[in-house]
Amino acid sequence: MLDEIPITRPDTPLLDQIHSPADLKEFEIDQLSQLADELRLFLLYAVGQTGGHFGAGLGVVELTIALHYVFDTPKDRLVWDVGHQAYPHKILTGRRDQMLTMRQAGGLAAFPNREESEYDQFGVGHSSTSISAILGMMIAARLQGEEHHNIAVIGDGAMTAGMAFEALNHAGHLDDNVLVILNDNNMSISNNVGGLSSYFARMWASKPYNFIRTGSKRVLSKLPQALKAAHRAEEYMKGMVSPGTLFEEIGFNYIGLIDGHDVTGLVDILKNIKTLRGPQLLHLVTQKGKGYSESENDPYGMHALSKIEAKAEKPKTSITRAKTVPSYSQVFGSWLCDLAEANDKVVGITPAMGEGSGMNEFALKYPERFHDVAIAEQHAVTFAAGMACDGIKPIVAIYSTFLQRAYDQLIHDVALQNLNVLFAIDRAGLVGEDGPTHAGSFDLTYLRCVPNMIVMAPSDENETHKLLSTGFAHNGPSAVRYPRGKGPGAQDDRNLEPVEIGKAVVRREGRSIAILAFGSMVAPALQSANKINATVVDMRFVKPLDEDLIGDMATTHQLIVTVEENAIMGGAGSAVNEFLLRANYQIPILNLGLPDEFLEHGKVPEMLASADLDSESISNEISKKLKDCKIQSEAV
């Protein structure tokens, strides 16, 4: 058990011999426990150097070793759900020496990535996709006359999503060879791991038991009624001593509960499972953060880790700012508490993003009005719609990238019925090291085309507070989208007064050029405007637009520039274009936004610069457009 994360490269003699899973197979089985210790130690060291998710990875060290030891990857297909747990997999599949580049521009991705390695056989980031993906691979092999094993590893949290159950149901119908490993790190059931449950697990994975089980199915229809009753009694007995009845009814052979940290036992069971036919579900119990005391004691708080920096390298000004400037998530959390105190019809809903969305204090103060529905985005939205039908005003706190998963529910269950649901959309725009799987690049595009929706993009902390209040006061569906991390540090007056819907604010008066900036782009637009003497408008609303102000800008300026941290195609700039065209304004337009590509991980400032969305790039792009249009600017 480690109490501290190593800051120098640990000694790992066994791990250093592994450059691919083929090297792992050369080890004796009694060496695997030492290898697990070394792998866990190296994982902690690597994540300490780069930052990233490590709690889930620590919990699957033994499972990862056992899977690559028993199965012939990459010929055998192995799909990891979510990807937070895939760091040990990366280390064992030829990327150990690249781990210190994790989440950095040009380095390893934070999640499995098909372009990164042949061992990453499905790109993941959003949860609950692994079973569907592995079934697709299974059928593809069948159609092409190929034979290989198909394994999906999914966590108990991801198993709460409807998509996972849809795939399980389909797997039972297909009745082909697939292994679903349920990695259960919910510590409330850890007491069930013991001699009795391990005994049954070994029995259910054994060849004799499954020979009898398979044979009994073939002859069951020919047995006398009394023997059929005996068979049913055996099934009921099995159901009483295991939580696998549901999986058995779907069509899986359930094997569990298994100690997921007994690497020797895992190897034995996986070898037996390789010989079985049909859908198999192996239920493991693991401990999130296994081997690191702080993570074991606080598996939720230590889900991920920031890069460990030497104390001397942190300037005091950064420490002071970190203490005084809240994140946008914290602004939302404080607003929600203020609102709940003033209005007893306020309910907060989140699909497993309560802590990340800043809802901890609200959950403590108003537990009866806080609903974490687990990883179930579709349910979260329709659940909110049901509340809104009966007079409650629900607020759905959700990351931009995850709201994509509930788009049908947003349209059909909320917007179509014009229900009072407010979407507080966190992590809008680029998210840095987590990369394109978690970027909120499309919400302005997919929201503004939905009838009845009000769509807002605040530019700072105070504007976030105001626009959330505006969305809450609005009679109908509304959305406020804000970025990850901290804002520019604007003083938050914390009143609950709404602003006028559809009204923008001029932040700077200039000449010739009018920059219409949305949300996070107001700050760099203001910096650019100081160089080129441009007018800057904080648009606030993507839908409805302040058409009167845009018309004024079009008649008093020679160039309209739109800037947004959203996909340029179909986004806020497109909305401005549509209005100007419809109203017959003849003026050059420059649209700046995220390009038509998935931007790989890196530091957000660097990513914005590469997308021409930092202040210097905005100035340069405007200068190019002015030259092309032969417009004379008036510099300060």
Side-chain angles (χ1 to χ4, degrees):
M1 175 73 68
L2 290 173
D3 295 323
E4 293 185 355
I5 294 176
I7 58 174
T8 58
R9 172 67 159 87
D11 185 28
T12 55
L14 293 183
L15 182 62
D16 293 347
Q17 299 176 42
I18 298 175
H19 303 286
S20 75
D23 298 322
L24 173 63
K25 296 179 193 301
E26 298 298 318
F27 287 16
E28 299 295 332
I29 194 169
D30 58 7
Q31 294 179 286
L32 299 184
S33 292
Q34 180 185 337
L35 176 62
D37 292 340
E38 293 182 12
L39 179 53
R40 188 168 275 115
L41 188 63
F42 181 82
L43 173 62
L44 280 168
Y45 161 73
V47 177
Q49 297 296 304
T50 64
H53 298 91
F54 73 111
L58 291 175
V60 296
V61 165
E62 289 82 5
L63 173 62
T64 307
I65 291 171
L67 284 169
H68 285 295
Y69 191 79
V70 172
F71 291 98
D72 184 17
T73 56
K75 177 185 176 184
D76 290 335
R77 303 299 193 253
L78 173 60
V79 176
W80 297 90
D81 209 287
V82 178
H84 293 164
Q85 57 191 334
Y87 288 15
H89 161 80
K90 288 179 181 258
I91 294 169
L92 292 178
T93 53
R95 287 167 280 181
R96 180 187 66 246
D97 295 337
Q98 296 173 273
M99 288 300 291
L100 298 190
T101 70
M102 180 76 71
R103 295 157 51 90
Q104 300 171 28
L108 294 183
F111 304 97
N113 185 323
R114 282 170 51 83
E115 295 182 0
E116 185 176 290
S117 170
E118 64 178 337
Y119 292 94
D120 292 358
Q121 290 162 328
F122 194 74
V124 295
H126 294 184
S127 83
S128 316
T129 60
S130 60
I131 306 175
S132 299
I134 206 66
L135 290 182
M137 295 175 186
M138 181 185 77
I139 294 301
R142 180 197 293 179
L143 291 174
Q144 298 175 87
E146 298 175 357
E147 291 250 351
H148 54 67
H149 294 279
N150 305 284
I151 309 107
V153 182
I154 184 169
D156 55 317
M159 192 65 91
T160 62
M163 183 177 180
F165 282 94
E166 292 170 11
L168 285 171
N169 186 61
H170 191 205
H173 169 74
L174 292 172
D175 195 28
D176 208 336
N177 299 332
V178 63
L179 169 60
V180 174
I181 299 177
L182 174 55
N183 172 33
D184 194 335
N185 56 31
N186 185 336
M187 291 179 290
S188 65
I189 66 168
S190 61
N191 291 334
N192 293 327
V193 179
L196 184 62
S197 61
S198 294
Y199 165 76
F200 278 116
R202 288 192 297 271
M203 179 184 74
W204 296 332
S206 68
K207 294 179 184 178
Y209 173 83
N210 281 276
F211 174 78
I212 296 169
R213 174 178 175 270
T214 305
S216 67
K217 285 186 176 180
R218 288 197 299 266
V219 303
L220 186 58
S221 60
K222 302 177 183 179
L223 292 178
Q225 193 64 33
L227 290 181
K228 289 183 180 180
H231 178 82
R232 285 196 297 271
E234 183 266 341
E235 291 295 315
Y236 295 147
M237 182 193 73
K238 184 177 178 181
M240 286 188 293
V241 296
S242 82
T245 305
L246 169 64
F247 302 113
E248 292 277 3
E249 290 299 322
I250 291 174
F252 278 79
N253 176 37
Y254 174 83
I255 303 165
L257 297 166
I258 285 290
D259 180 356
H261 299 300
D262 176 6
V263 66
T264 303
L266 285 174
V267 167
D268 289 341
I269 287 171
L270 290 173
K271 284 181 177 179
N272 279 331
I273 289 175
K274 278 184 71 173
T275 68
L276 304 181
R277 310 296 296 175
Q280 313 293 323
L281 190 135
L282 176 60
H283 188 172
L284 306 181
V285 175
T286 62
Q287 183 167 19
K288 191 172 183 178
K290 175 72 173 176
Y292 177 48
S293 58
E294 190 172 352
S295 185
E296 286 190 14
N297 295 331
D298 183 15
Y300 302 103
M302 295 299 292
H303 171 66
L305 180 73
S306 297
K307 179 179 178 179
I308 297 175
E309 303 279 4
K311 292 182 179 180
E313 295 176 2
K314 288 188 176 182
K316 292 182 180 180
T317 52
S318 297
I319 297 173
T320 302
R321 185 176 188 274
K323 290 180 179 179
T324 57
V325 178
S327 68
Y328 279 103
S329 302
Q330 290 169 328
V331 171
F332 165 71
S334 65
W335 170 83
L336 185 59
C337 289
D338 292 347
L339 186 69
E341 184 178 355
N343 191 317
D344 62 5
K345 293 190 180 298
V346 172
V347 170
I349 300 169
T350 186
M353 291 291 118
E355 185 174 1
S357 295
M359 301 178 79
N360 286 359
E361 184 180 354
F362 175 80
L364 290 172
K365 286 185 174 181
Y366 305 99
E368 74 284 357
R369 290 195 265 165
F370 172 71
H371 296 275
D372 185 340
V373 301
I375 302 174
E377 294 88 356
Q378 294 172 315
H379 167 60
V381 173
T382 305
F383 179 53
M387 286 188 182
C389 284
D390 277 4
I392 296 298
K393 180 76 178 192
I395 296 151
V396 179
I398 190 168
Y399 291 5
S400 173
T401 186
F402 298 138
L403 184 57
Q404 296 165 185
R405 311 187 83 185
Y407 192 48
D408 177 67
Q409 287 70 27
L410 183 147
I411 294 173
H412 185 273
D413 298 339
V414 175
L416 179 61
Q417 303 183 86
N418 202 28
L419 294 174
N420 288 333
V421 177
L422 169 60
F423 294 92
I425 304 173
D426 205 333
R427 270 66 167 178
L430 300 175
V431 293
E433 291 88 346
D434 283 343
T437 61
H438 282 55
S441 305
F442 311 109
D443 51 61
L444 296 184
T445 300
Y446 69 68
L447 287 172
R448 77 173 189 87
C449 64
V450 179
N452 294 330
M453 286 294 300
I454 301 295
V455 184
M456 294 164 274
S459 56
D460 58 36
E461 298 87 343
N462 195 39
E463 284 291 308
T464 301
H465 212 280
K466 289 180 179 180
L467 295 183
L468 285 167
S469 297
T470 303
F472 181 80
H474 172 65
N475 185 26
S478 58
V480 180
R481 59 102 74 169
Y482 42 88
R484 180 183 188 177
K486 300 180 185 298
Q491 183 63 42
D492 185 355
D493 57 28
R494 293 191 67 163
N495 67 57
L496 298 175
E497 293 299 317
V499 302
E500 184 177 352
I501 288 177
K503 287 299 177 183
V505 179
V506 176
R507 299 294 184 191
R508 185 188 189 281
E509 296 279 2
R511 303 285 296 276
S512 302
I513 307 149
I515 304 176
L516 311 184
F518 294 85
S520 61
M521 290 292 99
V522 170
L526 285 168
Q527 294 173 8
S528 296
N530 290 330
K531 303 174 185 176
I532 56 178
N533 196 19
T535 296
V536 175
V537 180
D538 180 350
M539 290 300 295
R540 282 182 165 175
F541 292 86
V542 177
K543 184 182 182 182
L545 289 170
D546 190 338
E547 295 181 349
D548 290 341
L549 184 55
I550 296 173
D552 289 344
M553 294 295 114
T555 55
T556 57
H557 294 73
Q558 298 180 65
L559 174 66
I560 295 287
V561 181
T562 67
V563 194
E564 61 191 298
E565 194 176 343
N566 182 82
I568 197 168
M569 298 182 69
S574 293
V576 173
N577 298 349
E578 291 162 13
F579 163 70
L580 292 171
L581 181 63
R582 186 172 66 249
N584 294 316
Y585 285 101
Q586 303 295 318
I587 184 171
I589 305 168
L590 172 64
N591 298 132
L592 299 177
L594 298 178
D596 184 27
E597 61 185 88
F598 292 104
L599 298 178
E600 292 301 326
H601 54 279
K603 298 292 184 184
V604 170
E606 297 168 1
M607 298 175 72
L608 288 172
S610 70
D612 294 329
L613 291 179
D614 64 325
S615 61
E616 184 176 354
S617 298
I618 292 171
S619 300
N620 292 338
E621 291 300 311
I622 291 174
S623 297
K624 291 178 187 176
K625 186 69 174 180
L626 292 172
K627 185 177 180 181
D628 291 342
C629 297
K630 298 181 172 57
I631 298 171
Q632 294 294 320
S633 64
E634 297 185 25
V636 177

